Amino acid sequence: AKARMEKIKPYARPVFLEPAEGLTRTYPKDTMIFCENMPGEELFVIQKGSVRITKIVNDREVLLAVLKPGDIFGEMALLENKPRSASAIAHEDCTLLVVNKANFERMVSTQPQLIAKLTTLLAERIWFLYKQLANTLLANPVARLYDGMLIHLEKLRVSIRDGSAYTFDFGPRELVNMVGLPQEKGLRAFQEILSSKFIRVLDDRIVVSDVAELEKQAKSYR
Ligand code: CMP
């Protein structure tokens, strides 16, 4: 298990690029799309690749989400006239549709269903944040890790059936980061989890061979 853990690398430092003009922009892996606290007047729709959203909390970079094609981000600064609440970094090479305020208003006037879509997206985000908040109240780090995995399954609406397997698109380091544990303490707790037979790590991804067992464990720790 230790050798497996050592292969897991921390994030690369993001590279900054000059933003190009145009309706779509492409960003190579690990480039900064925008920085926390900067002013911003564009929202983005992911067309290809993935984007990670991170925030500096107590001098630590915390991973808030990894967003996928079809997901929208950057809407908060656009809708609220506030600085960026978090940073967005290309997690893989990605292509983004860029929508500025004028275009956004035009799109909403011709496609009012966009507002409903955005409301659903924000409601889902609130649900997730609420779960994450409850997660940080769990004192036991092992409990937090189990619960963190379960929250992701719920978010993705993975059906919990006995014996069914699931591969997360993140590894132990990201999980530790997402549940807000200090790295060392979190990775130590993850070692403990690895002794259970239904969880292992393959290519820096957490693999659960029985999601029903995961749910049982998560509940027993609460
Ligand atoms: P904005 O504040 O404009 O810039 C940062 C963006 O990250 C924000 O809009 C949201 O789109 C996105 N974001 C912020 N917090 C979260 C979160 N907890 N989960 C997913 N996306 C988020």
Side-chain angles (χ1 to χ4, degrees), residues 40 102 158 161:
V158 173
R161 275 182 288 112

Side-chain angles (χ1 to χ4, degrees), residues 171-185:
R173 214 171 275 271
E174 280 168 300
L175 175 65
V176 163
N177 195 339
M178 284 187 288
V179 299
L181 285 170
Q183 185 152 299
E184 251 182 57
K185 183 177 177 184

Side-chain angles (χ1 to χ4, degrees), residues 50-173:
S50 60
V51 170
R52 67 175 179 268
I53 305 289
T54 72
K55 195 170 170 63
I56 305 287
V57 183
N58 292 337
D59 293 334
R60 247 192 4 223
E61 186 182 18
V62 175
L63 180 67
L64 296 179
V66 176
L67 306 177
K68 300 272 174 223
D71 286 338
I72 294 173
F73 66 94
E75 76 296 333
M76 285 164 71
L78 183 98
L79 296 175
E80 280 249 72
N81 287 321
K82 281 192 174 145
R84 297 294 188 190
S85 61
S87 299
I89 299 148
H91 198 52
E92 302 168 293
D93 291 353
C94 60
T95 306
L96 309 177
L97 177 70
V98 187
V99 183
N100 63 26
K101 199 157 192 150
N103 283 338
F104 177 72
E105 278 159 10
R106 206 169 310 132
M107 282 165 77
V108 166
S109 67
T110 57
Q111 306 171 65
Q113 72 275 20
L114 278 180
I115 293 293
K117 209 174 155 201
L118 212 53
T119 309
T120 307
L121 175 129
L122 291 174
E124 274 172 2
R125 195 172 294 155
I126 291 170
W127 175 91
F128 190 60
L129 288 172
Y130 196 66
K131 292 275 180 176
Q132 278 181 317
L133 178 66
N135 179 284
T136 63
L137 299 176
L138 297 171
N140 182 328
V142 174
R144 269 215 224 174
L145 295 174
Y146 274 131
D147 193 67
M149 286 187 266
L150 198 61
I151 295 172
H152 271 86
L153 291 182
E154 276 185 74
K155 181 184 173 189
L156 300 167
R157 299 177 204 278
V158 173
S159 74
I160 311 273
R161 275 182 288 112
D162 275 331
S164 67
Y166 188 80
T167 301
F168 288 102
D169 60 1
F170 51 78
R173 214 171 275 271

